[in-house]
Amino acid sequence: MLRTRAGQTSALRLLTDRDRDEALALCDRDPVANVFVSARVRSSGLDPMRLGAQVWGFHEAARLVSLCYVGANMVPVEAAPASVTAFAHRARKQGRRCSSIAGPAAVVDDLWRQLAPFWDRPREIRYRQPLMAIASDPLVQPDPGVRLVRPADVGILLPASVAMFTEEVGVSPIGADGGAAYRARVSELVANGRSLAKIEDGKIVFKAEIGAVTPQVCQVQGVWVPPQLRGRGHAARGMAAVVAFARHTLAPVVSLYVNDFNTPARAAYRRVGFAEVGTFMSVLF
């Protein structure tokens, strides 16, 4: 238990299912920035065993004011300086268990500065990742060839997904299990109707997945066009198709975040109608 300058008490504790409504209300303060955590809590609740992660809640005067999702990713939500310090203190004691820290740039930068002396050196830090969103019909004509990926297409999709992941993250997703876990994740997105692609002659021309989904927002991930087909408009027309599908079937706002150095992708998203609504930062281990 801590005491703030105003004399109010503050405390950090592990959230449980009893805190679900309050946690979701906190996420809804910025539904675009917080879509990942909000979607996970909506689908799995706050029980760590079911969620596959812990969610730490920072309270002031018995009111939840910020939280931090700590699983494979560490993601702060609505975090102010006092809560960031509390999260960093808890994370130092627990030790690094996540493969990345991601979220609003100023918050992640503060959190990482407090953790850096104690945790191992990250593989990469991406300081500026524009957060983009669209809440209208796409400005580009959607590619009619983009469709939901069928389970029978997973063998075609998987090599493209591996290539995208390796190019984007810098390491292969194929682990000691020979890729079984990664294939399962790809197959799950397909089975849930969240994977879209254009396939020609048995090869991927464009692909994207819709990861986190809430009633307000869905987040696109894994956007990829084979290098030899880039510069031909596949990304813009493909993303227009994804936006049209997602807004019609999943949520009224479609979001994503992109590396600032990926100039072609940012240009393609702007052509579709995406606008920057914030900035993320990622620390990758």
Side-chain angles (χ1 to χ4, degrees):
M1 187 72 69
L2 304 173
R3 189 169 294 277
T4 66
R5 291 180 180 178
Q8 295 180 330
T9 58
S10 61
L12 181 71
R13 67 171 173 82
L14 183 67
L15 299 185
T16 70
D17 282 336
R18 292 191 301 273
D19 303 297
R20 182 180 184 274
D21 290 346
E22 196 174 9
L24 289 176
L26 188 68
C27 290
D28 284 347
R29 291 184 184 177
D30 190 339
V32 174
N34 301 326
V35 62
F36 170 79
V37 175
S38 182
R40 293 301 307 274
V41 173
R42 287 176 190 275
S43 64
S44 301
L46 285 161
D47 177 79
M49 293 298 293
R50 203 166 55 245
L51 184 62
Q54 295 182 347
V55 178
W56 305 337
F58 184 78
H59 295 75
E60 290 182 346
R63 183 173 64 91
L64 181 66
V65 296
S66 60
L67 60 82
C68 190
Y69 176 97
V70 186
N73 309 302
M74 185 174 186
V75 185
V77 170
E78 300 298 304
S83 55
V84 170
T85 297
F87 296 150
H89 179 72
R90 177 75 167 261
R92 287 198 302 268
K93 291 174 61 178
Q94 178 174 282
R96 183 178 73 81
R97 300 180 183 179
C98 61
S99 60
S100 72
I101 307 172
V107 172
V108 172
D109 185 55
D110 187 12
L111 181 60
W112 176 239
R113 283 191 295 104
Q114 296 187 52
L115 288 174
F118 305 94
W119 281 13
D120 47 310
R121 183 187 299 272
R123 181 169 48 81
E124 185 179 357
I125 300 178
R126 297 179 179 178
Y127 288 97
R128 189 176 186 279
Q129 297 174 298
L131 176 65
M132 307 182 78
I134 180 172
S136 63
D137 291 337
L139 303 179
V140 173
Q141 187 67 28
D143 189 331
V146 173
R147 60 169 174 81
L148 285 172
V149 178
R150 306 181 187 104
D153 299 321
V154 168
I156 297 171
L157 178 64
L158 189 62
S161 298
V162 170
M164 177 281 305
F165 188 100
T166 304
E167 180 179 352
E168 170 66 19
V169 180
V171 295
S172 172
I174 305 301
D177 63 358
Y182 187 68
R183 183 185 180 95
R185 288 196 294 273
V186 171
S187 298
E188 182 180 16
L189 287 167
V190 171
N192 290 337
R194 302 281 184 84
S195 180
L196 294 98
K198 181 174 185 177
I199 302 174
E200 290 184 343
D201 300 324
K203 295 182 180 179
I204 297 292
V205 174
F206 165 89
K207 73 163 216 60
E209 290 87 49
I210 300 165
V213 178
T214 71
Q216 303 101 316
V217 183
C218 62
Q219 187 176 77
V220 178
Q221 62 188 37
V223 180
W224 191 77
V225 173
Q228 69 273 18
L229 297 180
R230 293 173 187 172
R232 303 182 188 182
H234 291 302
R237 293 193 299 273
M239 280 301 297
V242 172
V243 168
F245 168 82
R247 294 192 69 244
H248 179 70
T249 63
L250 297 174
V253 179
V254 183
S255 72
L256 55 83
Y257 61 99
V258 58
N259 294 314
D260 63 341
F261 53 78
N262 194 342
T263 303
R266 292 172 64 190
Y269 300 149
R270 285 194 296 268
R271 285 198 297 275
V272 174
F274 282 86
E276 293 189 17
V277 296
T279 305
F280 270 20
M281 172 178 164
S282 296
V283 181
L284 308 176
F285 298 96

